Amino acid sequence: MLPSNKVHIPSLISIILSHLFKNLFCCLFLFFFFLFSFFFLQRVSFIVSGAHEADGWAGEGSSLAGFRAKKEEVEEEDFTFDEPSLKKQKTSGACLGQPTALPSSEAQALRNELNMCWDLTEVLSTLTCVQRWVCVNIIALLREENTVPFMVRYRKEMINHMDADAVRDVQLVYEELCTLAKKTQSVIQTLKKDGVLTAELEQNLRSCRSADELDHVYSPYKKGSKLTKARRAKALGLEVAASALMDTPHTLDLRAWVKPDTQGLSSVEEVATGVEHILADMIAKDPETLTYVKTLCENSFVTIQSSVSKSAQNKNKDIDKFHLYFDFTCNIQRIQAHQTLAINRGESLKILTVKVNIPDRVKSDFTRWCINIRWRPKTFGREELRAIIRNAVEDSYKRLIMPFLTRSYRTKLTVAAEKESIAMFVRNLRQRLLVCPVRGCVIMGVDPGFRHGCKLAILSPTSQILHTDVVYLHNSAQQREADKLRHLMIKYSCTRVVIGNGTACRETESFFADLISRCYFHPLDVSYCITSEAGASIYSVSPEAAKEMPDLDPNLRSAVSIGRRVQDPLAELVKIDPKHIGIGTYQHDVSAGALKAALDGVVQECVSFVGVDINICSETLMRHVAGLNVGRARNIAEWREQNGPFINREQLKLQCAGFIRINPQTQHRYICTLYVQIHGHKQAHIDSDSKPAAKKGKGKTCVNIPTSFNPLDQTCIHPESYDVAQRFLSLVGGSADQIGSAGLRQCVESKVKTRSVDELAKTVDTTPETLKLIIDGLTQPPGFDIRQNFGQADFKRGIVSMSDLRVGAVLTGRVDNTTLFGAFVDIGVGRAGLIHKSNITLDKLPVSQRRRSLALGPGERVEVRVLNVDPQRGRIGLDLIRVLE
């Protein structure tokens, strides 16, 4: 007997209802739980404590009334030493790094200044992946004109210990959002003046979060642009019909809109086409629709494709450089930065054609979603009306949305590639600037050449020019020139030779290596090194070089620059535009403004962190100290020339105080130098306590100079923390006169061992980060240089040629340059070898370098294995074995 198929209906209903009530209870519980959590989190969200007024040293400038950080001014400033700054110096101080929230009044002020439909800190946090409270603090610090080096060194707790590059990224995005808000306001004013601004259009404009989105919304209304199909249809009054189609299609009769004598309304078909164009425009500008289609693309295999263009045959000179991209296809999520920049360059030269391929599945899914969900009429419509909607969706996708997506993808790829390329420039420049200086010896700089000879410059240990000359090492009179070299080397006790890597470098190196191998300079132990001469010729004819070396031929100035690049790389390379130093790749394919800002920022960072002796540094070097600019540096140099050396930081009363040093050892040298300039060599020997006669100033009154020297002025401790430093010295039983001594170091170490840094910080009323900086400043020896931990130039006595290389040979070398596709290593054979980035793997790197892109930078010593040698093309392939500590 078969089982019964009957179902007990009341029982089934009771079961269903019981489940429904259970699920409803669970849903209500979850709803109230999340609602409570939301309000609770809002209650305890981050706060930035109100800015409290600090003393005159507390910050780097007063708060701005405007939104963006003011740019440094180049013109002359009304600047007086030994008097407090006219601007009230303060900073938002007491945050101590705890997650806090911007006070509602300040948050509202920010929103009012932007006048956009989004929250600045929220968008900034999303775009930079930085915690919101950190973004709030960075905005506050930037609004008070604090520089990035100042934040990184003296406000660590407020920026959550971010490094300079990360802070600079936040600053860049912040400024981009400010620019976007300003541009949006300008667009709105223009549209209002033209009489085309509507409330809906203004809302769409203020909702834009990128320049691309703003351009997409604004482009149809730009002056001079062709009147769009949608605007022509709206001018005919069909916007009402389009709205009726979506809201009340059962009442819409297209025949009622026909006007036989009016173009665009002469038939039902023309009316339907006009309505389609209006709907297509609405669809393309709808934020929800754009978000949906972008989500579809993110989950699909979107590719970028390049191929050779029809006009490429006329570009015979450059066409071979792009053969890799004649038939190139890559997923946009996997394409490399250097590939993007190469494709862009090929396209700009009209050698390549580029397109973005979006799968057909995206179109079908998008069309289905629009017709059935987003753009479905509110009531039933006839078939001919539904066909209008379908045609409008397809037209919108093909004519408006696809070009928008293509532009967005190309822009995103270019921005990401430029960012990676600039980051490579920044990393290379930082490591090039921080190469350890070669001090304490006389150096000969050589600018090699064939026809016009090799230019020589012999420099003292303090980089003073002792002698300049020209020798012709590559002609028939080699022995005579060799005798001349030996005479100069012995006369000036010169044991180091620096050869530029330009024309005739290899031949000049061979000449010196041969003399050294024959002990030709006996009893001197001479060695040489090769250094980059990139930018030396440009600098030698610059106004700065003419001012510094007025009586020297430009060709000889380049030899001086080459020698000084090894003696003090930072002090010399800051004189040259960073783009000309020979670092990175694709510098002509990235935004010139962004590249300059990033490179100027890293120069400022390096100069500030190393510190400058205010009494002996050049005006050019002084310009790059955080808190100074061209005008202030000029004023400081003029004041120093008129009044003699600075005695203490109190005379400056400037924001840069933490980055300058005042060393008592250099004051006597400065006075001697000034007396030589004024009275000649015979009167140069003066008493160290004498003061130079002040020159007459240009209409400026000389003020009384404080005579007391503060030992803390030669450390990295900022004057705002001097009181804390004195309290800590009293706590450990030391004094400021003991700075850098072994006795004070021992006292500090014993105190830190018995009590933690956090506990000691509470005792002296400061933050742990500030106390760590104070401990460093007190225990480091006078004249401490952070560059001593970096690699120095490699001097050698012999030469190896490319023909001596064998596949499999293990060598040591120094990274010369890094690119987006690998690192070039100087292995001493006249040609740099390439370690492709596929051979730079995590297991070959120290732990500290595994988080960096490519993880290698100029100056790092590496052990490599030769993979292949191509003498004809001058190429050497290398494999990284390990990074040498």
Side-chain angles (χ1 to χ4, degrees), residues 212-452:
D212 271 349
E213 291 182 21
L214 181 64
D215 187 64
H216 178 65
V217 177
Y218 173 52
S219 57
Y221 303 94
K222 286 182 179 177
K223 281 186 178 179
S225 62
K226 188 168 67 172
L227 200 64
T228 63
K229 294 179 179 181
R231 290 184 66 186
R232 283 199 295 268
K234 288 180 180 178
L236 294 171
L238 291 177
E239 192 170 8
V240 177
S243 299
L245 176 59
M246 298 306 302
D247 297 333
T248 56
H250 60 281
T251 64
L252 178 62
D253 183 5
L254 296 180
R255 290 172 298 182
W257 293 86
V258 174
K259 295 180 180 178
D261 298 331
T262 304
Q263 185 179 0
L265 299 176
S266 60
S267 65
V268 174
E269 289 75 15
E270 286 189 357
V271 172
T273 301
V275 173
E276 287 176 10
H277 291 158
I278 293 174
L279 287 178
D281 184 68
M282 293 169 61
I283 293 169
K285 292 177 180 176
D286 178 52
E288 185 178 342
T289 303
L290 292 177
T291 301
Y292 182 79
V293 74
K294 288 177 182 178
T295 304
L296 288 177
C297 290
E298 288 173 3
N299 298 326
S300 303
F301 192 79
V302 181
T303 62
I304 184 170
Q305 179 182 351
S306 66
S307 57
V308 62
S309 68
K310 294 179 181 178
S311 61
Q313 301 304 324
N314 302 326
K315 310 281 183 179
N316 295 328
K317 181 180 177 183
D318 299 316
I319 190 170
D320 289 339
K321 298 177 183 178
F322 299 93
H323 69 278
L324 292 175
Y325 302 100
F326 286 171
D327 186 16
F328 176 83
T329 303
C330 184
N331 186 342
I332 60 165
Q333 295 180 353
R334 300 181 64 85
I335 190 170
Q336 301 296 313
H338 67 275
Q339 293 172 330
T340 299
L341 294 175
I343 289 173
N344 289 350
R345 183 188 295 181
E347 185 181 33
S348 66
L349 294 174
K350 301 189 182 331
I351 294 174
L352 301 176
T353 56
V354 186
K355 64 178 181 178
V356 175
N357 297 320
I358 299 176
D360 292 337
R361 186 176 63 84
V362 172
K363 178 182 177 182
S364 59
D365 290 350
F366 172 76
T367 304
R368 191 181 308 113
W369 177 80
C370 285
I371 293 173
N372 296 329
I373 300 176
R374 177 60 180 161
W375 297 95
R376 182 178 180 178
K378 294 182 179 180
T379 62
F380 179 77
R382 299 185 304 277
E383 176 57 33
E384 62 268 21
L385 297 182
R386 292 202 299 270
I388 292 176
I389 296 175
R390 184 164 52 250
N391 293 337
V393 170
E394 293 178 354
D395 177 51
S396 178
Y397 181 82
K398 180 180 178 180
R399 183 168 56 86
L400 301 173
I401 294 178
M402 271 286 288
F404 170 69
L405 292 174
T406 299
R407 289 194 305 270
S408 297
Y409 278 122
R410 293 295 303 279
T411 301
K412 286 179 181 177
L413 290 176
T414 300
V415 168
E418 287 188 355
K419 185 176 180 181
E420 182 65 25
S421 181
I422 290 173
M424 187 70 68
F425 269 98
V426 165
R427 186 161 56 251
N428 289 349
L429 179 60
R430 181 184 290 113
Q431 294 197 232
R432 186 68 61 84
L433 293 176
L434 294 179
V435 169
C436 183
V438 176
R439 303 188 186 280
C441 62
V442 178
I443 281 182
M444 174 185 286
V446 181
D447 183 6
F450 286 117
R451 208 169 155 189
H452 299 289

Side-chain angles (χ1 to χ4, degrees), residues 168-182:
R168 207 173 287 115
D169 286 342
V170 175
Q171 180 186 21
L172 182 63
V173 176
Y174 163 72
E175 291 177 351
E176 287 174 354
L177 292 173
C178 295
T179 302
L180 175 64
K182 187 176 180 181

